[in-house]
Amino acid sequence: MRYWNLLAFLALAFVWGTAFMAIKAGLSFFPPILFAAVRFDLAALLMLGYAIYATDRWRPQGTNEWLLVAVGGVFIIAGYHALLFIGEQNTTSATAAVIVSLSPVLTPALARAFLPSERLSAVGVVGILLGLVGVAVLTRPTPENLLGGDLVPKLFVFAAAVSFALGSVASERISAALPAPTMEAWSMVLGAVVLHAATALSPESLADAEITLSGLAALLYLSVASSAIGFLIYFDLLDRLGPVEINLVSYVAPVFAALSGALLLGEVVDALTVVGFVIIFTGFVLLKRRAIAAELPRVRAALSGE
């Protein structure tokens, strides 16, 4: 079908962008870490079923494959989502989505920090600095809000982006031929276990949850649409468009986060949120300028159905 890739790309941006709104809505009824844990209980079952159906190897084998699952489960599933859900309690959907969009900017910075052999050009350094400036614009640190106000929740979201970037850097350095759906499924299984362990160690309890239709709707949307369906679209696009195009989803998702937050939750997007987004996106373009230039002809051909 002509323009199928473009439609799939927009669908992925939609389900991942509106996930921030669903998280914010669900946090009215569930404590954050427990909410994230139950989300991945359901998502893990769906993804594991898909891995069994669609791949020829639904279980990891060998040390490297289990190490890959461990990195994904701890950093990308448990760490990222626990910190994000905590931060979104007092942060708008749009602001959280914009801060999370810093992950593709942080990834090369962390790769350079942990692997000195990784080279980073002067323009790349400017790109990373712009990303951090964008976060500063969003968080607006002042002496008054340094230890309170809305700065701390935004720093939790920033820490979530760091956790995701760390997991991405570590995953790229592990040599394993594990099918992507299998890796995601088992990472979700492990991530759910870690999140439940964190819940047990935190002040949260099931008694803090309020079972309502709205809360269950948010939970099901996150588990089915944003997690299971979202990752299926992601794998399909990754094969056909490559990692640069997938990174760009992070910069379209905040648009859907802002629209859904405004329409369904009455959230207001201020001018500084838009400015912060533009600065972070500029940093990404500077960092990935060569890869983007190399990918453009292929992306144009894919989107036009040629």
Side-chain angles (χ1 to χ4, degrees), residues 71-285:
V71 167
V74 171
F75 289 100
I76 296 176
I77 301 298
Y80 168 70
H81 288 92
L83 293 165
L84 174 62
F85 279 46
I86 291 170
E88 264 214 69
Q89 291 178 106
N90 296 291
T91 306
T92 66
S93 308
T95 299
V98 170
I99 295 175
V100 166
S101 73
L102 184 67
S103 292
V105 178
L106 288 172
T107 299
L110 292 172
R112 178 68 180 86
F114 289 102
L115 296 167
S117 59
E118 293 281 334
R119 299 184 63 184
L120 197 60
S121 68
V123 176
V125 172
V126 172
I128 290 170
L129 291 177
L130 277 176
L132 296 176
V133 168
V135 171
V137 169
L138 288 167
T139 56
R140 302 159 219 176
T142 65
E144 290 75 21
N145 71 9
L146 192 58
L147 295 177
D150 62 355
L151 175 61
V152 172
K154 291 173 183 175
L155 290 180
F156 269 103
V157 180
F158 176 74
V162 172
S163 181
F164 191 95
L166 273 172
S168 299
V169 170
S171 297
E172 290 175 4
R173 269 64 192 176
I174 299 172
S175 177
L178 191 62
T182 303
M183 186 275 289
E184 285 292 343
W186 284 96
S187 293
M188 288 179 180
V189 171
L190 177 60
V193 171
V194 173
L195 286 166
H196 278 292
T199 301
L201 296 174
S202 75
E204 297 182 6
S205 72
L206 190 59
D208 298 323
E210 181 183 350
I211 307 303
T212 66
L213 287 177
S214 297
L216 291 175
L219 177 62
L220 287 174
Y221 184 81
L222 288 169
S223 301
V224 178
S226 300
S227 296
I229 295 175
F231 275 111
L232 293 181
I233 299 172
Y234 170 84
F235 295 139
D236 182 56
L237 284 177
L238 183 62
D239 287 339
R240 287 187 282 132
L241 298 183
V244 172
E245 181 79 357
I246 291 300
N247 274 334
L248 290 176
V249 170
S250 299
Y251 299 97
V252 180
V255 176
F256 290 107
L259 290 174
S260 59
L263 290 173
L264 298 178
L265 303 179
E267 295 178 340
V268 176
V269 180
D270 59 22
L272 282 178
T273 299
V274 177
V275 171
F277 169 77
V278 171
I279 294 173
I280 291 173
F281 181 69
T282 302
F284 169 80
V285 171

